[in-house]
Amino acid sequence: MIIGNWKMCKTGDEAAAFVEKLRPLVKTTEGVWIAAPFTALHALKGGPFKLGAQNMNEHDEGAFTGEVSAKMLLASGVTFCLLGHSERRHLFGETDQVVNAKVKQALSQGIQPVLCLGETLNEKEAGITEEVILRQLKEGLKGLSMAELEKLIIAYEPVWAIGSGLTASPEMAQAIHQFIRKTVGTRKIPLLYGGSVNASTIQQLINEPDIEGALVGGASLDPQTFSEIINLAL
Ligand code: PGA
């Protein structure tokens, strides 16, 4: 599974043009998911790629100016949503508690959560990576039954690797994925790696036993580059 995270890039027209270019370049569209900005969702509705959002509000509706609800996303053709992305956590102050509320809301509304987690450079250097991941998992998944848990996807994205050109080595990523796998206690949750993934790193990463795909930011914006990643991975 390869998920493109477009972040705050592409208008609806740009998204539609991207799909036209990408489609003939990929050997399969199965397993290719795109997390698009809210304002580009309409242009991607109806396929061929599985459509997702990058954030959603944890409440049903009401006085939450500027926010978007699960119901609105469903009506826009969304089937999955990134939750707890490091940019949401670090730039917009999302706590583990807020992430947990969003995960529960997504599940209750039938949107598949892609829970993102990962340590910062300071945390890595302090040797507390596993502690941080454990906290994000425990708090982010609090109160979920095993049946609910198994509807999730988890993306491990070391914050120091996002947009930096520094990818975690396959061995390093595998070790954390194994830790996540052990902590969640089920093999049914796909585990993705994210952080500066590109066409030269994808293959080694997905060859690791507990890395089942990737969350791709910068390299998902160009159809040629994104297609190379997809064709190597799927
Ligand atoms: P990147 O972003 O591939 O540009 O590092 C990944 C992400 O933030 O999901």
Side-chain angles (χ1 to χ4, degrees):
M1 175 189 301
I2 296 290
I3 305 183
N5 174 16
W6 285 353
K7 309 193 179 189
M8 198 174 72
C9 300
K10 296 194 192 298
T11 63
D13 286 351
E14 287 165 349
F18 176 96
V19 169
E20 283 311 300
K21 286 198 186 130
L22 182 65
R23 196 199 295 241
L25 295 175
V26 290
K27 60 182 185 201
T28 177
T29 55
E30 196 79 25
V32 182
W33 299 17
I34 293 178
F38 296 136
T39 52
L41 293 174
H42 69 282
L44 302 174
K45 196 175 173 182
F49 306 106
K50 204 161 162 167
L51 185 56
Q54 303 165 9
N55 180 35
M56 52 165 263
N57 188 270
E58 64 273 31
H59 301 281
D60 287 340
E61 64 178 6
F64 301 102
T65 301
E67 291 292 283
V68 170
S69 71
K71 196 170 142 195
M72 294 168 185
L73 293 181
L74 285 170
S76 304
V78 157
T79 61
F80 75 94
C81 187
L82 306 185
L83 294 173
H85 187 279
S86 77
E87 285 147 22
R88 300 294 322 164
R89 292 177 190 262
H90 298 291
L91 301 175
F92 301 102
E94 273 187 24
T95 60
D96 287 318
Q97 289 64 38
V98 168
V99 175
N100 179 245
K102 291 185 177 193
V103 168
K104 287 181 175 156
Q105 176 70 351
L107 285 170
S108 78
Q109 301 292 317
I111 291 179
Q112 186 171 22
V114 179
L115 174 68
C116 305
L117 36 84
E119 81 287 5
T120 64
L121 185 59
N122 281 346
E123 290 163 341
K124 176 178 182 265
E125 286 174 347
I128 55 167
T129 297
E130 291 195 352
E131 210 174 293
V132 170
I133 304 289
L134 191 61
R135 191 205 72 225
Q136 290 173 333
L137 282 172
K138 272 197 170 155
E139 298 298 322
L141 303 175
K142 205 175 227 163
L144 300 190
S145 66
M146 187 50 91
E148 287 174 319
L149 207 58
E150 289 181 343
K151 296 201 172 99
L152 258 75
I153 293 170
I154 294 178
Y156 168 58
E157 299 198 295
V159 181
W160 48 270
I162 295 178
S164 63
L166 301 170
T167 318
S169 69
E171 299 74 29
M172 204 191 287
Q174 165 59 24
I176 301 296
H177 279 231
Q178 204 172 7
F179 176 74
I180 295 172
R181 175 75 68 214
K182 209 176 78 196
T183 306
V184 294
T186 167
R187 294 209 66 83
K188 290 199 179 144
I189 300 178
L191 302 184
L192 313 183
Y193 170 79
S196 295
V197 171
N198 59 38
S200 46
T201 53
I202 183 68
Q203 215 153 21
Q204 273 197 307
L205 285 163
I206 56 154
N207 279 346
E208 295 292 341
D210 289 301
I211 302 181
E212 280 129 350
L215 182 52
V216 185
S220 73
L221 293 171
D222 173 68
Q224 184 62 42
T225 315
F226 195 39
S227 72
E228 285 166 22
I229 296 173
I230 292 165
N231 290 337
L232 286 165
L234 301 179

